[in-house]
Amino acid sequence: MRLLLGLLVSAGILVGPISEALYADEIYPSRSITLVVPVPPGGAADFIARILGQKLSDRLGQPVIISNRSGASGTIASDNVAKSAPDGYTLLLNSITTHGIGPHLYTSLPYDPVWDFAPIALVANLPLIMTIYANHSMKSVAEVVGYANANQGKLSFASSGNGGAPHLAGELFKIVNGVDMLHVPYRGSGPAVLDVAAGRVDIMFDAAPSLLGMIEGGKLRPLATASTERLAILPNLPTFAELGMKGMEISLWYGMVAPAKTSPPIIQRLNTELQTILKMSDVQNSFAKQGATAMFGSPQDYAAFMQAESQRWGAIVRKNNIKID
């Protein structure tokens, strides 16, 4: 079939955008695919990308190359993908940072977060966890709030960078408790976690993949989870709601998008493969061990989800005048 289509196109028997789309979709993928990840290796996004990338490679029969391009709250990676050819060979692991919170924190972006991307699928959800240096004198959320109230601006919290969910979790904590804290942004979760575990920064909000190693190693103490229910991997850890703190529900979510104008058959092929992958028991087990939940749905479902998240965080950012440090 591929040879026949090629000969027909070459002979001019099939012409125009319809034949080009048929030919492109028939042979997709015929070479390696690059999955761009907007953070450095070592965090939740990288964990999700590498699991899905390997499975996609297995199912598509072509290498899926993970390209970590960090910086500027994901805008560098997003811009790169937005301006790539819409042929299905450059994809973005996007997130609450790139398509939920970030667009409301920047006065201008080199791309449109809605119109420059084609949604493929929502793939994972990871509630955030509040942690503190294990040897810190404060051992509970109540003690942290008490200290922060008595010492406005002295308590520090680390994040993986400006504009991400860990940053906004700290901002929400400040708002909910009426306290001021010093935000210390890093280029990714990895270096941030190291400094909190060493006691150089007081607390941090992040997802389990970035924190579990230090929690299990006794370097970090988990204090609460920003989920609606307790986490299976940390069943003794209370939710903020259980501690009487309302409005602290926040999770990292990840999905996959392509450049706008990528042909619908390619988008649907990728969505179908991801739905199959996310139902695999080994994928779900790997996710569960890191506090992640596999998510499912169509490209249209993902578009609606991103719109709702953008509206939610846009309202919070505007109401509380949250700005990039």
Side-chain angles (χ1 to χ4, degrees), residues 157-170 182-193 196 201 203-206 325:
F157 76 98
S159 82
S160 54
N162 285 315
H167 174 199
L168 264 288
L182 174 65
H183 176 218
V184 185
Y186 289 78
R187 289 178 62 86
S189 294
V193 171
V196 178
V201 184
I203 62 174
M204 181 175 181
F205 303 83
D206 211 330
D325 292 343

Side-chain angles (χ1 to χ4, degrees), residues 15 33 47 57 79 94 97 107 116 129 167 184 186-187 216 223 226 255 292 295 303 306 324:
V15 295
I33 297 168
F47 160 74
S57 178
D79 186 46
N94 73 322
T97 300
T107 55
D116 285 343
I129 300 168
H167 174 199
V184 185
Y186 289 78
R187 289 178 62 86
E216 293 170 349
L223 298 180
M295 307 299 287
M306 286 191 288
I324 292 290

Side-chain angles (χ1 to χ4, degrees), residues 16-322:
I18 293 178
S19 64
E20 292 170 5
L22 282 171
Y23 184 78
D25 296 340
E26 175 65 22
I27 64 173
Y28 178 84
S30 60
R31 53 187 169 87
S32 62
I33 297 168
T34 298
L35 177 56
V36 180
V37 181
V39 296
D46 193 63
F47 160 74
I48 297 295
R50 293 185 186 279
I51 288 179
L52 298 184
Q54 182 57 59
K55 291 293 186 180
L56 270 177
S57 178
D58 293 342
R59 292 191 61 81
L60 296 175
Q62 294 291 342
V64 175
I65 301 168
I66 306 301
S67 176
N68 297 88
R69 300 185 185 180
S70 61
S73 299
T75 60
I76 293 174
S78 299
D79 186 46
N80 173 264
V81 174
K83 292 178 171 59
S84 296
D87 54 12
Y89 290 100
T90 305
L91 309 175
L92 175 70
L93 188 80
N94 73 322
S95 68
I96 185 175
T97 300
T98 62
H99 285 75
I101 299 169
H104 302 286
L105 295 174
Y106 291 91
T107 55
S108 63
L109 289 171
Y111 56 86
D112 188 294
V114 177
W115 298 109
D116 285 343
F117 297 92
I120 298 172
L122 177 66
V123 297
N125 184 69
L126 300 90
L128 296 195
I129 300 168
M130 179 182 179
T131 58
I132 193 168
Y133 171 50
N135 293 328
H136 209 295
S137 59
M138 295 178 285
K139 307 297 183 184
S140 67
V141 174
E143 290 179 354
V144 171
V145 173
Y147 177 86
N149 269 309
N151 300 272
Q152 294 287 342
K154 291 187 177 181
L155 188 74
S156 59
F157 76 98
S159 82
S160 54
N162 285 315
H167 174 199
L168 264 288
E171 297 293 341
L172 281 178
F173 190 83
K174 288 163 57 176
I175 293 163
V176 168
N177 294 289
V179 299
D180 187 25
M181 300 190 300
L182 174 65
H183 176 218
V184 185
Y186 289 78
R187 289 178 62 86
S189 294
V193 171
L194 288 175
D195 271 8
V196 178
R200 287 185 283 270
V201 184
D202 295 308
I203 62 174
M204 181 175 181
F205 303 83
D206 211 330
S210 302
L211 305 171
L212 275 181
M214 290 297 183
I215 291 173
E216 293 170 349
K219 301 292 185 180
L220 289 178
R221 178 191 301 274
L223 298 180
T225 175
S227 54
T228 55
E229 299 178 351
R230 292 196 178 196
L231 302 178
I233 55 171
L234 295 169
N236 296 322
L237 186 66
T239 66
F240 281 107
E242 287 180 78
L243 300 176
M245 196 174 294
K246 305 296 184 181
M248 274 300 298
E249 290 76 26
I250 177 171
S251 297
L252 286 176
W253 53 259
Y254 295 101
M256 207 172 288
V257 296
K261 299 183 181 179
T262 300
S263 71
I266 289 178
I267 296 295
Q268 190 55 57
R269 171 78 188 280
L270 290 168
N271 178 274
T272 299
E273 297 296 354
L274 285 170
Q275 302 310 299
T276 299
I277 290 167
L278 292 166
K279 292 175 183 176
M280 294 178 178
S281 58
D282 59 332
V283 171
Q284 294 201 358
N285 289 338
S286 294
F287 275 25
K289 289 177 182 178
Q290 296 294 326
T293 301
M295 307 299 287
F296 303 93
S298 67
Q300 295 75 23
D301 293 334
Y302 190 30
F305 174 85
M306 286 191 288
Q307 181 182 23
E309 280 289 279
S310 180
Q311 291 175 346
R312 177 195 178 197
W313 290 107
I316 290 173
V317 168
R318 289 188 297 273
K319 179 180 179 181
N320 297 289
N321 195 32
I322 299 173

